[in-house]
Amino acid sequence: MDDERRQDDWAASRKNRLPTFSEVLARRTRPPVDLFMFYLFLQREGAEDILDFWLDVQQHENLCRAYFKDVRKSGRTIRDDWPEYWDYARRRGSIYGTVVGLNPQTGTKRSTASTGEMLTEQDRANLASAGSMDEKAARSPSPRQMSTTPGTAVATEPPRSTTPFSLSGRTPTLFNRRASRAPTIIPRTSAISRQDLIASAERIYYRYLSPAGNTIGSNENHEIYLPPNLRIHSFPLSSQQEPKNAAEMSLMAQIPDMFHAQKEYVFRAMEQDAFPRFLRAKAFGNLTPVSALVRLVLGLIILWVGLAVGFSLIFLDVHPKSKRFFLFIPFTIAILFLISHQYELDPILVFFMQSESTPFRTLRIREPYVKKLLLGRAIWVTILVAACVTALTLLFWAVPGHRL
């Protein structure tokens, strides 16, 4: 009941506007502009990995917050429990400043520099040597566990995509969709440890940021696009063992904030590119591309049938002439399908408060302002269909018959 009340309050605040992208990600919106519909929209474009990455990083950050809260509840301070992270957060800033007890004036602002830029040259050299020495002992030899050093990444990486929504090796299809990977879930069966944080970051890196994470023999590519200054070329830590040296301890201190800059970039990319197209598709229409295409094909076929019958009635000079009025039946269906394809909106579905989630599967429209927009457009489409059908029917009725 409390969730329903909160949803009602949030919906009431949007009676005269469309939701923002932040509200969609926070699950404060209702169909057809909720997070589920946005995920399906990205899936049709073959770009759902971008949203999966954002959700996984969000969960990684929630896991880090839970760890810091557990530490504070135990009576310890972050400064005593994890001095490396405390020093790092005090110097660089952290998104967990208020959680770990830093000064709100100096500790809550997060630097947007990439993780690669945070390491000194000595740290990079130490990590590179440590990674090469411990690679066989610390990690399995599977393709998902193989990585390259920053110095050789450019030479050995496969070609990358050039925009967040143009993924290399990925082409959206109408019917053959890959099974999407669910966001990372770490059950709270015991207290969260730092190794859990490393494991969470490791999964995110090998799933979304490492070209070596692609499965051999598969055309699927889960790597997301990032600009060069935000790319992470290696992950020297292992979730199977504790950090051994000072360089690894220094890198582990960056784990909580490791993907925040990348997450912010992905958020802006989705907000400026995919989200406006999603609103145009779902707030101003209620059909999926496949359903609209089927309506186009059926509309053209039925229109051809209607025109063929109409010309037959004219050139056979069939009497009584009033029989030609029955042409409004195929004309109505054909024009309705064609205009529905053009507007990507089916007025009949709108009048029943339905919107397609996947081809020919619908769910109820519950977002208040979207209801108003779709009803207004549905009325306009209905008037347009009626005008076209009336004009065509009267035209074929008025033409004098002439038997050939």
Side-chain angles (χ1 to χ4, degrees), residues 53 56-57 60 115 139 143-150 153 157 160 181 184 197-214 222-224 226 230-237 255 258-259 262:
F53 172 77
D56 278 5
V57 175
H60 171 75
T115 304
R139 297 178 187 166
R144 294 185 58 79
Q145 302 293 329
M146 297 170 60
S147 62
T148 58
T149 61
E157 286 181 358
R160 294 175 179 260
R181 301 185 182 187
T184 303
L197 306 186
I198 295 177
S200 174
E202 187 178 44
R203 276 189 289 267
I204 291 174
Y205 171 76
Y206 284 112
R207 180 177 296 182
Y208 303 108
L209 305 181
S210 171
N214 301 337
H222 300 279
E223 182 196 10
I224 65 170
L226 290 172
L230 291 180
R231 293 173 186 168
I232 303 174
H233 298 289
S234 63
F235 193 87
L237 297 179
I255 290 294
M258 190 172 195
F259 306 110
Q262 291 82 354

Side-chain angles (χ1 to χ4, degrees), residues 41-42 45 165 272-282:
F41 176 82
L42 291 180
E45 297 189 346
F165 297 96
Q272 297 171 11
D273 188 343
F275 187 62
R277 290 185 284 109
F278 168 70
L279 288 181
R280 283 196 295 270
K282 291 302 174 184

Side-chain angles (χ1 to χ4, degrees), residues 84-94 100 102 106-107 257:
E84 294 86 1
Y85 173 75
W86 175 268
D87 293 338
Y88 164 79
R90 187 167 49 85
R91 289 184 290 103
R92 303 288 307 188
S94 173
V100 301
L102 291 174
T106 60
D257 296 290

